[in-house]
Amino acid sequence: MLISTRGRYALRVLIDMAEHSGNGLIPMKTIADRQDISLKYLEKILPVLTRNGMIKGVHGKGGGYKLTRKPDQYTVGEILRLTEGDLAPVPCLECNAKECERKAECRTVGMWSELNSRINGYLDSVTLNDLIKI
């Protein structure tokens, strides 16, 4: 599993918002400057987070973005699944995957299933609040 720039940047943006949540709405440019992420790239990430209810955006003068929940209510797993899609280590374990023809005799499916479970379990146990404390 390789996490893309999109997933890593989404985490950085949400951590930034969590760290500055007491400051009201945060302008996109402020986040871009603090995180050294181009505005063009943020213009692709923030709408996805907004559409999926992770952040609230207000346009116009005095506008910006803020979290819709407390930092301890966001898990890394949900953020990465939103930005990356399925986190399964092999295609046969992805959500809605067609059942593999070799599943019955596959000697590795158990190992991949356990890895998938551990990856998702771990990422679902880490919150934005945990990352702020690091």
Side-chain angles (χ1 to χ4, degrees):
M1 172 181 63
L2 185 65
I3 304 301
S4 72
T5 303
R6 183 181 189 149
R8 294 190 320 270
Y9 283 7
L11 280 170
R12 285 172 47 190
V13 165
L14 291 170
I15 291 167
D16 185 280
M17 287 182 184
E19 288 177 323
H20 298 92
S21 61
N23 301 339
L25 295 172
I26 305 167
M28 186 186 313
K29 179 155 179 25
T30 301
I31 297 167
D33 290 344
R34 280 197 297 241
Q35 293 303 314
D36 195 27
I37 300 172
S38 76
L39 279 172
K40 213 166 199 44
Y41 209 100
L42 277 186
E43 288 170 353
K44 294 177 182 177
I45 295 172
L46 294 178
V48 172
L49 299 174
T50 303
R51 268 193 314 275
N52 288 280
M54 293 199 147
I55 61 175
K56 177 182 178 184
V58 176
H59 297 286
K61 188 168 174 75
Y65 294 87
K66 69 177 188 172
L67 299 178
T68 57
R69 299 178 269 172
K70 294 179 180 172
D72 65 350
Q73 296 174 330
Y74 292 81
T75 69
V76 171
E78 74 173 317
I79 296 162
L80 291 179
R81 280 188 291 276
L82 176 64
T83 56
E84 299 293 316
D86 202 307
L87 300 175
V90 291
C92 64
L93 294 178
E94 291 176 350
C95 291
N96 303 319
K98 181 180 157 201
E99 188 165 324
C100 179
E101 299 168 5
R102 302 194 71 239
K103 186 176 181 181
E105 65 264 1
C106 182
R107 294 175 186 256
T108 60
V109 72
M111 174 196 63
W112 293 127
S113 293
E114 180 65 22
L115 178 60
N116 188 47
S117 178
R118 289 182 187 208
I119 288 170
N120 282 282
Y122 175 70
L123 293 176
D124 287 337
S125 75
V126 180
T127 67
L128 287 181
N129 203 47
D130 295 328
L131 297 175
I132 292 169
K133 296 176 183 177
I134 294 175

